Amino acid sequence: MSTGTGRTAPRAGAAAPHRSPDVPVVASRRGHFWVPGDTVAVSTGTAQRGPMFVQWEAPEQLRHEVPLVLVHGGGGQGTDWLGALDGGPGWAQQFVAAGFAVYVVDRPGHGRSPYHPEVIGEMGAPFSYEAAVGLFAPPERAGEQSAWAWGREPGDDGLDQLVAAFGPLPADLGWSQELDADRLARLLDRIGPAVLVTHSAGGPVGWLAADRRPELVEAIVAVEPMGPAFVEFPGMGALEWGLTAAPVTYDPPLGSPQAVRAADPADRRIPGLAGTEVLVVTGGSSAFADFADDVVTFLRDAGAPAERLHLPDKGVHGNGHGMLLEAGADRACAPVVRWLAERDGRTI
């Protein structure tokens, strides 16, 4: 028997390891289901393409009516939200402790959402240690990234735990985002209005879900989202449509990536984001913070009342791109919990 981060579970009656005293034990209900994939003909008969696994948890005392949907980043899986690398509580537990119901998804082809090349298509390269270090623990930021409590070489326990959870993305970035957005939209059809909380490459899926189901996306918390607009990722693809690799609806209509890029920012209105509160969260030791203001500007031009939450401005220092998984992940989550509670008319 093991914990969610791979450590040996304590004996009955023993204290749970690494549990923060700031996160109370909460009685909750939990379960899971799938958003089924579409059916396709394959060599062996009929199969599902791209089902999406959904794990849910709700506190016994629900304090907030609107639930949170947690969308992991590229190559990751829903377990990214369930625990930090040091065994401490994950963001999902902290949201539940604050009175929110949460739905944690595994994007199609990731984690517990089955993948097969015959139905989903070619996958990209395996997720390497070098990619992990470059994204989550770049050596040039080692002096400031105090929340990365581990080494940067294979064999280090924390880095091994991080890489073990990561896999490849579908090779076609745009199609992958289309698939994710469709399944997320269908999840919203099932559960009703929700706040989306996205991380990294899950960020574009939030914008696309709002485009498809604007009436069901109450707000978006984008933690270190992909950007800036129109950036190209070598070997992966580009955000050709602004902040997404998949088409999004503009008003006035912009029918091609070229038209979007050439348009005046005032003409890049996205009706699905109009009036949708967006919080862009960044860590003080992350390269994603360097372009976050550009992302916020693009979203405001699109019609969203977007704002930025930079953790050092809230007294939380030393976080990189993987703030969900770093040591003291509960401290990085606390300002987000406060923002969510305040927009719901509560203070904590």
Side-chain angles (χ1 to χ4, degrees):
M1 181 177 179
S2 62
T3 68
T5 53
R7 308 199 188 298
T8 302
R11 297 183 304 277
H18 308 295
R19 183 172 61 80
S20 168
D22 297 327
V23 181
V25 175
V26 177
S28 67
R29 297 166 287 118
R30 64 192 64 84
H32 69 268
F33 58 90
W34 275 265
V35 175
D38 46 295
T39 55
V40 294
V42 296
S43 58
T44 55
T46 305
Q48 276 193 35
R49 175 170 54 203
M52 187 174 74
F53 179 84
V54 183
Q55 175 179 338
W56 64 267
E57 185 173 1
E60 186 176 41
Q61 299 297 324
L62 195 66
R63 297 179 60 203
H64 305 278
E65 182 178 352
V66 178
L68 311 179
V69 177
L70 312 186
V71 184
H72 65 81
Q77 53 184 292
T79 53
D80 293 355
W81 301 99
L82 301 182
L85 296 174
D86 62 359
W91 283 32
Q93 290 96 319
Q94 302 198 59
F95 292 140
V96 171
F100 291 95
V102 299
Y103 294 86
V104 179
V105 308
D106 284 11
R107 290 162 47 209
H110 299 269
R112 293 160 290 188
S113 296
Y115 159 75
H116 193 282
E118 193 173 349
V119 291
I120 288 189
E122 181 185 358
M123 296 296 275
F127 193 83
S128 68
Y129 276 84
E130 290 78 9
V133 170
L135 267 176
F136 296 100
E140 64 271 18
R141 295 185 184 252
E144 57 184 292
Q145 193 183 357
S146 57
W148 182 260
W150 306 277
R152 290 170 168 79
E153 298 289 339
D156 176 83
D157 184 56
L159 186 61
D160 284 350
Q161 290 290 318
L162 176 74
V163 174
F166 277 70
L169 290 87
D172 187 332
L173 184 63
W175 186 83
S176 174
Q177 291 179 4
E178 289 251 28
L179 186 65
D180 293 344
D182 176 81
R183 304 304 186 257
L184 195 58
R186 289 204 273 141
L187 171 62
L188 294 172
D189 289 340
R190 176 169 178 167
I191 68 173
V195 174
L196 307 182
V197 184
T198 67
H199 180 233
S200 191
V205 185
W207 320 136
L208 290 166
D211 178 47
R212 294 179 181 220
R213 298 292 189 276
E215 73 283 2
L216 297 179
V217 176
E218 291 270 329
I220 300 173
V221 176
V223 181
E224 300 251 320
M226 260 184 165
F230 307 111
V231 69
E232 183 172 355
F233 301 97
M236 289 179 57
L239 302 183
E240 297 182 326
W241 289 83
L243 291 178
T244 67
V248 67
T249 305
Y250 286 92
D251 184 24
L254 298 171
S256 69
Q258 295 77 17
V260 177
R261 185 183 287 270
D264 185 283
D267 292 330
R268 294 183 187 141
R269 307 285 291 180
I270 299 176
L273 287 173
T276 302
E277 293 178 88
V278 177
L279 185 71
V280 175
V281 183
T282 54
S285 303
S286 171
F288 281 61
D290 298 343
F291 56 77
D293 285 341
D294 295 332
V295 172
V296 170
T297 297
F298 190 96
L299 292 167
R300 288 174 177 170
D301 289 338
E307 61 182 295
R308 184 177 174 190
L309 191 161
H310 191 48
L311 289 180
D313 295 340
K314 301 298 182 180
V316 182
H317 299 275
N319 291 98
H321 184 56
M323 64 180 71
L324 318 175
L325 300 164
E326 291 174 330
D330 52 336
R331 292 191 296 273
C333 186
V336 176
V337 171
R338 284 195 293 270
W339 185 87
L340 288 166
E342 288 167 2
R343 75 165 298 278
D344 199 31
R346 296 175 180 267
T347 57
I348 60 172

mmCIF file of all heavy atoms in Angstrom, residues 73-75 107 110 122-125 127 131 135 167-177 200-202 204 226 231-240 245 288:
data_model
loop_
_atom_site.group_PDB
_atom_site.id
_atom_site.type_symbol
_atom_site.label_atom_id
_atom_site.label_comp_id
_atom_site.label_asym_id
_atom_site.label_seq_id
_atom_site.Cartn_x
_atom_site.Cartn_y
_atom_site.Cartn_z
ATOM 1 N N GLY A 73 -1.436 19.917 -16.740
ATOM 2 C CA GLY A 73 -0.644 20.422 -17.850
ATOM 3 C C GLY A 73 -0.192 19.345 -18.816
ATOM 4 O O GLY A 73 -0.601 18.183 -18.752
ATOM 5 N N GLY A 74 0.699 19.733 -19.734
ATOM 6 C CA GLY A 74 1.147 18.855 -20.794
ATOM 7 C C GLY A 74 1.993 17.710 -20.282
ATOM 8 O O GLY A 74 2.956 17.925 -19.552
ATOM 9 N N GLY A 75 1.639 16.491 -20.656
ATOM 10 C CA GLY A 75 2.391 15.327 -20.242
ATOM 11 C C GLY A 75 2.067 14.839 -18.850
ATOM 12 O O GLY A 75 2.418 13.725 -18.479
ATOM 13 N N ARG A 107 -6.647 14.362 -18.859
ATOM 14 C CA ARG A 107 -6.951 14.694 -20.246
ATOM 15 C C ARG A 107 -6.792 13.450 -21.133
ATOM 16 O O ARG A 107 -5.986 12.563 -20.834
ATOM 17 C CB ARG A 107 -6.022 15.809 -20.719
ATOM 18 C CG ARG A 107 -6.332 17.157 -20.053
ATOM 19 C CD ARG A 107 -5.191 18.147 -20.158
ATOM 20 N NE ARG A 107 -4.651 18.228 -21.506
ATOM 21 C CZ ARG A 107 -3.382 18.538 -21.775
ATOM 22 N NH1 ARG A 107 -2.521 18.763 -20.796
ATOM 23 N NH2 ARG A 107 -2.974 18.614 -23.018
ATOM 24 N N HIS A 110 -3.828 10.709 -21.369
ATOM 25 C CA HIS A 110 -2.931 10.934 -20.246
ATOM 26 C C HIS A 110 -3.436 10.170 -19.023
ATOM 27 O O HIS A 110 -4.640 10.007 -18.834
ATOM 28 C CB HIS A 110 -2.860 12.420 -19.894
ATOM 29 C CG HIS A 110 -2.340 13.294 -20.997
ATOM 30 N ND1 HIS A 110 -1.012 13.597 -21.139
ATOM 31 C CD2 HIS A 110 -2.971 13.925 -22.007
ATOM 32 C CE1 HIS A 110 -0.844 14.375 -22.187
ATOM 33 N NE2 HIS A 110 -2.024 14.594 -22.734
ATOM 34 N N GLU A 122 -0.582 9.442 -33.462
ATOM 35 C CA GLU A 122 0.817 9.434 -33.060
ATOM 36 C C GLU A 122 1.035 10.309 -31.834
ATOM 37 O O GLU A 122 0.458 11.374 -31.699
ATOM 38 C CB GLU A 122 1.675 9.956 -34.223
ATOM 39 C CG GLU A 122 3.167 9.979 -33.926
ATOM 40 C CD GLU A 122 3.970 10.602 -35.055
ATOM 41 O OE1 GLU A 122 3.349 10.975 -36.078
ATOM 42 O OE2 GLU A 122 5.198 10.717 -34.909
ATOM 43 N N MET A 123 1.886 9.811 -30.951
ATOM 44 C CA MET A 123 2.255 10.586 -29.777
ATOM 45 C C MET A 123 3.619 11.222 -29.994
ATOM 46 O O MET A 123 4.422 10.770 -30.819
ATOM 47 C CB MET A 123 2.302 9.696 -28.531
ATOM 48 C CG MET A 123 0.965 9.100 -28.155
ATOM 49 S SD MET A 123 -0.282 10.325 -27.667
ATOM 50 C CE MET A 123 0.097 10.533 -25.934
ATOM 51 N N GLY A 124 3.878 12.288 -29.235
ATOM 52 C CA GLY A 124 5.169 12.948 -29.299
ATOM 53 C C GLY A 124 6.243 12.151 -28.574
ATOM 54 O O GLY A 124 6.035 10.996 -28.180
ATOM 55 N N ALA A 125 7.373 12.773 -28.382
ATOM 56 C CA ALA A 125 8.510 12.101 -27.761
ATOM 57 C C ALA A 125 8.242 11.809 -26.292
ATOM 58 O O ALA A 125 7.442 12.497 -25.644
ATOM 59 C CB ALA A 125 9.747 12.981 -27.895
ATOM 60 N N PHE A 127 8.669 11.902 -22.333
ATOM 61 C CA PHE A 127 9.026 13.029 -21.468
ATOM 62 C C PHE A 127 10.352 12.717 -20.783
ATOM 63 O O PHE A 127 10.462 11.759 -20.029
ATOM 64 C CB PHE A 127 7.927 13.286 -20.440
ATOM 65 C CG PHE A 127 8.053 14.599 -19.720
ATOM 66 C CD1 PHE A 127 7.565 15.764 -20.291
ATOM 67 C CD2 PHE A 127 8.668 14.681 -18.484
ATOM 68 C CE1 PHE A 127 7.672 16.980 -19.642
ATOM 69 C CE2 PHE A 127 8.781 15.891 -17.826
ATOM 70 C CZ PHE A 127 8.286 17.049 -18.401
ATOM 71 N N ALA A 131 13.863 17.514 -20.162
ATOM 72 C CA ALA A 131 12.677 18.376 -20.295
ATOM 73 C C ALA A 131 12.127 18.756 -18.930
ATOM 74 O O ALA A 131 11.705 19.899 -18.706
ATOM 75 C CB ALA A 131 11.606 17.671 -21.124
ATOM 76 N N LEU A 135 11.888 22.638 -17.532
ATOM 77 C CA LEU A 135 10.606 23.260 -17.203
ATOM 78 C C LEU A 135 10.452 23.579 -15.719
ATOM 79 O O LEU A 135 10.007 24.661 -15.344
ATOM 80 C CB LEU A 135 9.464 22.322 -17.614
ATOM 81 C CG LEU A 135 8.832 22.480 -18.993
ATOM 82 C CD1 LEU A 135 7.807 21.376 -19.212
ATOM 83 C CD2 LEU A 135 8.171 23.836 -19.154
ATOM 84 N N GLY A 167 4.111 11.711 -19.209
ATOM 85 C CA GLY A 167 4.188 10.965 -20.457
ATOM 86 C C GLY A 167 4.177 11.911 -21.643
ATOM 87 O O GLY A 167 4.195 13.136 -21.482
ATOM 88 N N PRO A 168 4.109 11.373 -22.852
ATOM 89 C CA PRO A 168 4.102 12.216 -24.045
ATOM 90 C C PRO A 168 2.748 12.849 -24.289
ATOM 91 O O PRO A 168 1.724 12.417 -23.750
ATOM 92 C CB PRO A 168 4.438 11.226 -25.165
ATOM 93 C CG PRO A 168 3.884 9.925 -24.665
ATOM 94 C CD PRO A 168 4.091 9.944 -23.175
ATOM 95 N N LEU A 169 2.744 13.898 -25.096
ATOM 96 C CA LEU A 169 1.510 14.498 -25.585
ATOM 97 C C LEU A 169 1.232 13.968 -26.986
ATOM 98 O O LEU A 169 2.155 13.553 -27.686
ATOM 99 C CB LEU A 169 1.623 16.018 -25.650
ATOM 100 C CG LEU A 169 1.680 16.797 -24.355
ATOM 101 C CD1 LEU A 169 3.109 16.916 -23.862
ATOM 102 C CD2 LEU A 169 1.095 18.186 -24.549
ATOM 103 N N PRO A 170 -0.033 13.996 -27.417
ATOM 104 C CA PRO A 170 -0.294 13.714 -28.830
ATOM 105 C C PRO A 170 0.551 14.625 -29.712
ATOM 106 O O PRO A 170 0.770 15.795 -29.395
ATOM 107 C CB PRO A 170 -1.790 14.005 -28.981
ATOM 108 C CG PRO A 170 -2.344 13.728 -27.619
ATOM 109 C CD PRO A 170 -1.277 14.200 -26.660
ATOM 110 N N ALA A 171 1.043 14.077 -30.816
ATOM 111 C CA ALA A 171 1.965 14.824 -31.675
ATOM 112 C C ALA A 171 1.320 16.063 -32.290
ATOM 113 O O ALA A 171 1.988 17.058 -32.532
ATOM 114 C CB ALA A 171 2.506 13.909 -32.775
ATOM 115 N N ASP A 172 0.023 16.001 -32.553
ATOM 116 C CA ASP A 172 -0.700 17.127 -33.139
ATOM 117 C C ASP A 172 -1.286 17.970 -32.015
ATOM 118 O O ASP A 172 -2.328 17.640 -31.437
ATOM 119 C CB ASP A 172 -1.804 16.600 -34.061
ATOM 120 C CG ASP A 172 -2.512 17.697 -34.840
ATOM 121 O OD1 ASP A 172 -2.571 18.848 -34.359
ATOM 122 O OD2 ASP A 172 -3.027 17.405 -35.939
ATOM 123 N N LEU A 173 -0.630 19.076 -31.680
ATOM 124 C CA LEU A 173 -1.030 19.890 -30.544
ATOM 125 C C LEU A 173 -2.436 20.449 -30.720
ATOM 126 O O LEU A 173 -3.239 20.451 -29.783
ATOM 127 C CB LEU A 173 -0.024 21.024 -30.339
ATOM 128 C CG LEU A 173 -0.247 21.934 -29.128
ATOM 129 C CD1 LEU A 173 -0.132 21.151 -27.831
ATOM 130 C CD2 LEU A 173 0.748 23.099 -29.146
ATOM 131 N N GLY A 174 -2.755 20.932 -31.924
ATOM 132 C CA GLY A 174 -4.074 21.500 -32.159
ATOM 133 C C GLY A 174 -5.172 20.471 -31.993
ATOM 134 O O GLY A 174 -6.195 20.729 -31.347
ATOM 135 N N TRP A 175 -4.973 19.292 -32.562
ATOM 136 C CA TRP A 175 -5.998 18.248 -32.448
ATOM 137 C C TRP A 175 -6.134 17.781 -31.003
ATOM 138 O O TRP A 175 -7.235 17.512 -30.529
ATOM 139 C CB TRP A 175 -5.647 17.068 -33.346
ATOM 140 C CG TRP A 175 -6.731 16.038 -33.368
ATOM 141 C CD1 TRP A 175 -7.861 16.047 -34.129
ATOM 142 C CD2 TRP A 175 -6.798 14.848 -32.571
ATOM 143 N NE1 TRP A 175 -8.632 14.935 -33.859
ATOM 144 C CE2 TRP A 175 -7.997 14.189 -32.909
ATOM 145 C CE3 TRP A 175 -5.960 14.278 -31.620
ATOM 146 C CZ2 TRP A 175 -8.375 12.990 -32.321
ATOM 147 C CZ3 TRP A 175 -6.348 13.084 -31.026
ATOM 148 C CH2 TRP A 175 -7.539 12.458 -31.376
ATOM 149 N N SER A 176 -5.025 17.694 -30.295
ATOM 150 C CA SER A 176 -5.063 17.317 -28.884
ATOM 151 C C SER A 176 -5.912 18.299 -28.090
ATOM 152 O O SER A 176 -6.738 17.901 -27.253
ATOM 153 C CB SER A 176 -3.644 17.270 -28.321
ATOM 154 O OG SER A 176 -3.645 17.045 -26.934
ATOM 155 N N GLN A 177 -5.739 19.588 -28.341
ATOM 156 C CA GLN A 177 -6.536 20.595 -27.634
ATOM 157 C C GLN A 177 -8.007 20.517 -28.016
ATOM 158 O O GLN A 177 -8.890 20.706 -27.171
ATOM 159 C CB GLN A 177 -5.974 21.986 -27.905
ATOM 160 C CG GLN A 177 -4.614 22.234 -27.262
ATOM 161 C CD GLN A 177 -4.062 23.627 -27.560
ATOM 162 O OE1 GLN A 177 -4.723 24.450 -28.198
ATOM 163 N NE2 GLN A 177 -2.856 23.888 -27.101
ATOM 164 N N SER A 200 -0.406 25.193 -16.964
ATOM 165 C CA SER A 200 0.549 25.060 -18.071
ATOM 166 C C SER A 200 -0.168 24.775 -19.389
ATOM 167 O O SER A 200 -0.983 25.562 -19.843
ATOM 168 C CB SER A 200 1.568 23.978 -17.716
ATOM 169 O OG SER A 200 2.649 23.973 -18.605
ATOM 170 N N ALA A 201 0.138 23.605 -20.016
ATOM 171 C CA ALA A 201 -0.481 23.265 -21.293
ATOM 172 C C ALA A 201 -1.958 22.952 -21.165
ATOM 173 O O ALA A 201 -2.648 22.780 -22.182
ATOM 174 C CB ALA A 201 0.245 22.083 -21.934
ATOM 175 N N GLY A 202 -2.486 22.886 -19.949
ATOM 176 C CA GLY A 202 -3.931 22.809 -19.769
ATOM 177 C C GLY A 202 -4.591 24.164 -19.952
ATOM 178 O O GLY A 202 -5.811 24.241 -20.101
ATOM 179 N N PRO A 204 -4.656 26.398 -22.539
ATOM 180 C CA PRO A 204 -5.460 26.565 -23.750
ATOM 181 C C PRO A 204 -6.793 25.835 -23.700
ATOM 182 O O PRO A 204 -7.780 26.285 -24.299
ATOM 183 C CB PRO A 204 -4.552 25.988 -24.847
ATOM 184 C CG PRO A 204 -3.161 26.199 -24.325
ATOM 185 C CD PRO A 204 -3.278 25.970 -22.849
ATOM 186 N N MET A 226 0.257 28.328 -20.854
ATOM 187 C CA MET A 226 1.051 28.405 -22.079
ATOM 188 C C MET A 226 0.962 29.797 -22.686
ATOM 189 O O MET A 226 -0.097 30.415 -22.727
ATOM 190 C CB MET A 226 0.515 27.411 -23.111
ATOM 191 C CG MET A 226 1.266 26.124 -23.227
ATOM 192 S SD MET A 226 0.542 25.148 -24.595
ATOM 193 C CE MET A 226 1.833 23.953 -24.828
ATOM 194 N N VAL A 231 3.215 31.843 -29.823
ATOM 195 C CA VAL A 231 4.533 31.235 -29.630
ATOM 196 C C VAL A 231 4.574 29.850 -30.277
ATOM 197 O O VAL A 231 3.572 29.148 -30.347
ATOM 198 C CB VAL A 231 4.878 31.145 -28.129
ATOM 199 C CG1 VAL A 231 3.993 30.116 -27.425
ATOM 200 C CG2 VAL A 231 6.343 30.798 -27.930
ATOM 201 N N GLU A 232 5.742 29.476 -30.744
ATOM 202 C CA GLU A 232 5.965 28.144 -31.312
ATOM 203 C C GLU A 232 6.800 27.330 -30.348
ATOM 204 O O GLU A 232 7.789 27.819 -29.796
ATOM 205 C CB GLU A 232 6.667 28.237 -32.664
ATOM 206 C CG GLU A 232 6.857 26.871 -33.315
ATOM 207 C CD GLU A 232 7.372 26.958 -34.740
ATOM 208 O OE1 GLU A 232 7.489 28.083 -35.262
ATOM 209 O OE2 GLU A 232 7.651 25.896 -35.326
ATOM 210 N N PHE A 233 6.398 26.079 -30.141
ATOM 211 C CA PHE A 233 7.130 25.157 -29.288
ATOM 212 C C PHE A 233 7.807 24.124 -30.182
ATOM 213 O O PHE A 233 7.113 23.294 -30.796
ATOM 214 C CB PHE A 233 6.189 24.467 -28.304
ATOM 215 C CG PHE A 233 5.446 25.422 -27.417
ATOM 216 C CD1 PHE A 233 4.146 25.821 -27.740
ATOM 217 C CD2 PHE A 233 6.027 25.938 -26.272
ATOM 218 C CE1 PHE A 233 3.456 26.706 -26.936
ATOM 219 C CE2 PHE A 233 5.344 26.823 -25.463
ATOM 220 C CZ PHE A 233 4.057 27.213 -25.793
ATOM 221 N N PRO A 234 9.117 24.153 -30.292
ATOM 222 C CA PRO A 234 9.819 23.224 -31.177
ATOM 223 C C PRO A 234 9.449 21.770 -30.886
ATOM 224 O O PRO A 234 9.460 21.336 -29.735
ATOM 225 C CB PRO A 234 11.294 23.496 -30.863
ATOM 226 C CG PRO A 234 11.323 24.908 -30.376
ATOM 227 C CD PRO A 234 10.048 25.079 -29.611
ATOM 228 N N GLY A 235 9.083 21.063 -31.938
ATOM 229 C CA GLY A 235 8.716 19.663 -31.805
ATOM 230 C C GLY A 235 7.305 19.422 -31.324
ATOM 231 O O GLY A 235 6.862 18.267 -31.254
ATOM 232 N N MET A 236 6.569 20.479 -30.988
ATOM 233 C CA MET A 236 5.206 20.317 -30.470
ATOM 234 C C MET A 236 4.171 20.994 -31.348
ATOM 235 O O MET A 236 3.113 20.426 -31.628
ATOM 236 C CB MET A 236 5.099 20.896 -29.054
ATOM 237 C CG MET A 236 5.799 20.113 -27.976
ATOM 238 S SD MET A 236 5.614 20.916 -26.356
ATOM 239 C CE MET A 236 3.838 21.014 -26.178
ATOM 240 N N GLY A 237 4.421 22.214 -31.768
ATOM 241 C CA GLY A 237 3.443 22.983 -32.522
ATOM 242 C C GLY A 237 3.466 24.427 -32.061
ATOM 243 O O GLY A 237 4.386 24.859 -31.361
ATOM 244 N N ALA A 238 2.444 25.174 -32.432
ATOM 245 C CA ALA A 238 2.397 26.608 -32.126
ATOM 246 C C ALA A 238 0.993 27.005 -31.687
ATOM 247 O O ALA A 238 -0.004 26.356 -32.043
ATOM 248 C CB ALA A 238 2.805 27.421 -33.354
ATOM 249 N N LEU A 239 0.907 28.078 -30.917
ATOM 250 C CA LEU A 239 -0.382 28.672 -30.551
ATOM 251 C C LEU A 239 -0.816 29.582 -31.695
ATOM 252 O O LEU A 239 -0.809 30.808 -31.594
ATOM 253 C CB LEU A 239 -0.246 29.436 -29.230
ATOM 254 C CG LEU A 239 0.229 28.622 -28.027
ATOM 255 C CD1 LEU A 239 0.247 29.487 -26.761
ATOM 256 C CD2 LEU A 239 -0.636 27.384 -27.808
ATOM 257 N N GLU A 240 -1.226 28.946 -32.776
ATOM 258 C CA GLU A 240 -1.494 29.674 -34.023
ATOM 259 C C GLU A 240 -2.690 30.605 -33.930
ATOM 260 O O GLU A 240 -2.775 31.604 -34.658
ATOM 261 C CB GLU A 240 -1.737 28.673 -35.161
ATOM 262 C CG GLU A 240 -0.544 27.798 -35.483
ATOM 263 C CD GLU A 240 -0.839 26.869 -36.651
ATOM 264 O OE1 GLU A 240 -2.009 26.429 -36.778
ATOM 265 O OE2 GLU A 240 0.078 26.609 -37.426
ATOM 266 N N ALA A 245 -3.750 26.391 -29.923
ATOM 267 C CA ALA A 245 -3.340 25.781 -31.188
ATOM 268 C C ALA A 245 -4.548 25.327 -31.988
ATOM 269 O O ALA A 245 -4.428 25.031 -33.179
ATOM 270 C CB ALA A 245 -2.405 24.595 -30.920
ATOM 271 N N PHE A 288 7.796 31.348 -16.930
ATOM 272 C CA PHE A 288 6.443 31.657 -17.386
ATOM 273 C C PHE A 288 5.981 33.012 -16.863
ATOM 274 O O PHE A 288 5.096 33.637 -17.446
ATOM 275 C CB PHE A 288 5.475 30.554 -16.961
ATOM 276 C CG PHE A 288 5.508 29.337 -17.826
ATOM 277 C CD1 PHE A 288 6.673 28.592 -17.967
ATOM 278 C CD2 PHE A 288 4.389 28.918 -18.522
ATOM 279 C CE1 PHE A 288 6.716 27.459 -18.758
ATOM 280 C CE2 PHE A 288 4.415 27.783 -19.325
ATOM 281 C CZ PHE A 288 5.596 27.049 -19.451
#
